[in-house]
Amino acid sequence: MKRVVVFTGSGISAESGIKTFRDSGGLWEEHDVRDVATPEAFERNPKLVLEFYNQRRRDAMAAKPNAAHKALVKLENYFEVQIITQNVDDLHERAGSKNVLHLHGEIMKARSTINPNLIYILTSPEINFGDLCALGSQLRPHIVWFGEAVPEIENATKLANTADIFIVIGTSLEVYPAAQLIHYAPRRAQKYYIDPRASENENVPKDMVCIPEKAGVGVVRLVKKLVEELTMNN
Ligand code: APR
């Protein structure tokens, strides 16, 4: 079975009502990263950081997977599909995708501040100041903050390198090391980039087919094309 590796960013969740970061109205227009998404910010004002992520968690819990998430699930009937996402929401999983690797953490998980392997699945939207892990330390969001290591990046580059088809969806490709993934897809792989601003993005390799569409249209259309091509060739 051919392997499709899909690399997603916040753009795939935009039509589910979850804000992106760098578009107009995006999260980094409303908040300074240094106040809400760094270890220093958490040290300085944990309540502000916890509330920032409590609000993002409420938004993620209220959102529903959209047509793009669902089209990627349909692809699993015809290809081996591995999703690598920069997103911390669980919309890929809730749509039914089975293989999802989160590079920047998961909003529905909390972890200990003294043992990073002590991770808790959240069912309520809040982590509050005073919520402690089993070792008695404050719980924090299980999110990779700016300035922190990206533990899954090596796994992700290995997975990207196994792609027969590599699809990038809804990311500005501005944040490293995640953005470097596009250079790990094998030369022989078919490569696609679905994003309304795909054609304006200089970070895109020449052999990547740009599809300047919203995910809800572009992903559905590309999945249909890939399935048709596969069934015609078999
Ligand atoms: N469909 C597809 N793409 C869209 C849509 C849509 N409906 N709406 C917006 N986009 C695209 C934008 O054109 C842009 O290229 O989504 C991209 C969003 O880019 P960013 O806001 O930079 O988000 P992302 O690339 O996911 O950011 C990467 O930065 O702040 C960190 O950790 C955070 O994981 C995040 C990382």
Side-chain angles (χ1 to χ4, degrees):
M1 217 181 205
K2 277 195 166 187
R3 157 101 44 132
V4 178
V5 176
V6 185
F7 175 45
T8 64
S10 60
I12 195 170
S13 299
E15 288 156 90
S16 297
I18 295 183
K19 284 185 177 169
T20 61
F21 295 93
R22 296 171 184 83
D23 289 315
S24 60
L27 274 171
W28 299 149
E29 204 171 74
E30 290 168 7
H31 301 270
D32 185 326
V33 172
R34 291 162 301 185
D35 293 339
V36 292
T38 64
E40 297 75 16
F42 188 63
E43 192 70 33
R44 193 170 51 243
N45 190 343
K47 289 182 183 169
L48 177 71
V49 173
L50 289 172
E51 185 41 39
F52 173 70
Y53 284 95
N54 289 346
Q55 186 52 53
R56 291 185 63 192
R57 200 169 295 109
R58 289 186 204 101
D59 296 344
M61 292 173 81
K64 293 204 177 358
N66 62 53
H69 296 103
K70 291 173 188 163
L72 295 177
V73 178
K74 180 184 165 199
L75 211 50
E76 293 187 5
N77 299 325
Y78 302 91
F79 297 90
E80 244 188 84
V81 180
Q82 170 66 53
I83 292 177
I84 302 167
T85 187
Q86 299 172 91
N87 300 340
V88 295
D89 64 56
D90 57 351
L91 293 180
H92 282 302
E93 292 89 340
R94 281 164 51 199
S97 289
K98 293 188 194 54
N99 308 310
V100 182
L101 180 70
H102 286 267
L103 283 178
H104 294 158
E106 299 178 64
I107 196 81
M108 294 313 295
K109 291 182 180 172
R111 75 164 187 258
S112 162
T113 39
I114 48 175
N115 175 353
N117 301 317
L118 205 44
I119 297 169
Y120 301 82
I121 293 176
L122 294 167
T123 47
S124 87
E126 313 218 332
I127 304 174
N128 294 305
F129 192 67
D131 291 350
L132 306 180
C133 76
L135 302 174
S137 90
Q138 173 66 46
L139 285 177
R140 60 163 277 181
H142 183 49
I143 299 286
V144 176
W145 283 329
F146 284 91
E148 293 187 316
V150 180
E152 292 296 344
I153 192 67
E154 209 178 309
N155 287 341
T157 51
K158 285 188 188 126
L159 286 170
N161 200 246
T162 65
D164 297 304
I165 300 171
F166 189 75
I167 307 173
V168 181
I169 306 168
T171 174
S172 60
L173 296 169
E174 285 189 24
V175 172
Y176 286 79
Q180 74 185 23
L181 281 184
I182 56 174
H183 303 298
Y184 282 86
R187 198 182 300 281
R188 61 168 164 73
Q190 288 169 256
K191 303 178 186 79
Y192 301 93
Y193 177 37
I194 300 169
D195 186 301
R197 293 191 298 198
S199 317
E200 305 149 36
N201 195 320
E202 294 97 56
N203 301 329
V204 181
K206 295 284 161 280
D207 62 348
M208 193 165 258
V209 174
C210 288
I211 302 173
E213 296 276 7
K214 288 187 170 186
V217 170
V219 177
V220 173
R221 205 178 283 165
L222 179 61
V223 165
K224 187 166 177 292
K225 171 184 170 295
L226 293 174
V227 170
E228 279 166 3
E229 276 174 4
L230 182 80
T231 33
M232 259 170 357
N233 297 339
N234 282 356

